[in-house]
Amino acid sequence: MAGKKLYRSVQDRKIAGVCGGLADYLDADPTVVRIIALILLVCASFGLWAYLIIWLLAPENPAI
């Protein structure tokens, strides 16, 4: 993952593009990342805080 940066997805977004961007960064399926984020949100407030922090700090992907 050297040289990769975390961006919010512009094309694969449902709310803010956080899960889509995280899936691009991890080379994972966006649906799986969304399910994991939902589980973290329901089971612990960690998911909500992580989502909000990434939403605020990660820029949108400039390469469309």
Side-chain angles (χ1 to χ4, degrees), residues 1-30:
M1 285 190 217
K4 279 189 156 183
K5 289 191 176 193
L6 177 62
Y7 290 107
R8 290 185 289 132
S9 178
V10 176
Q11 296 172 335
D12 189 18
R13 82 171 18 171
K14 298 296 180 192
I15 297 174
V18 173
C19 291
L22 204 56
D24 286 341
Y25 182 77
L26 299 173
D27 292 325
D29 184 23

Side-chain angles (χ1 to χ4, degrees), residues 2 8 22 26 30 33-35 49 54 62:
R8 290 185 289 132
L22 204 56
L26 299 173
V33 174
R34 287 185 181 103
I35 291 170
W49 290 111
I54 293 172

Side-chain angles (χ1 to χ4, degrees), residues 39-62:
I39 291 170
L40 288 174
L41 177 66
V42 171
C43 293
S45 65
F46 173 76
L48 175 67
W49 290 111
Y51 190 91
L52 290 174
I53 289 170
I54 293 172
W55 187 357
L56 292 172
L57 296 180
E60 287 187 345
N61 192 352

Side-chain angles (χ1 to χ4, degrees), residues 38 44 47:
L38 182 63

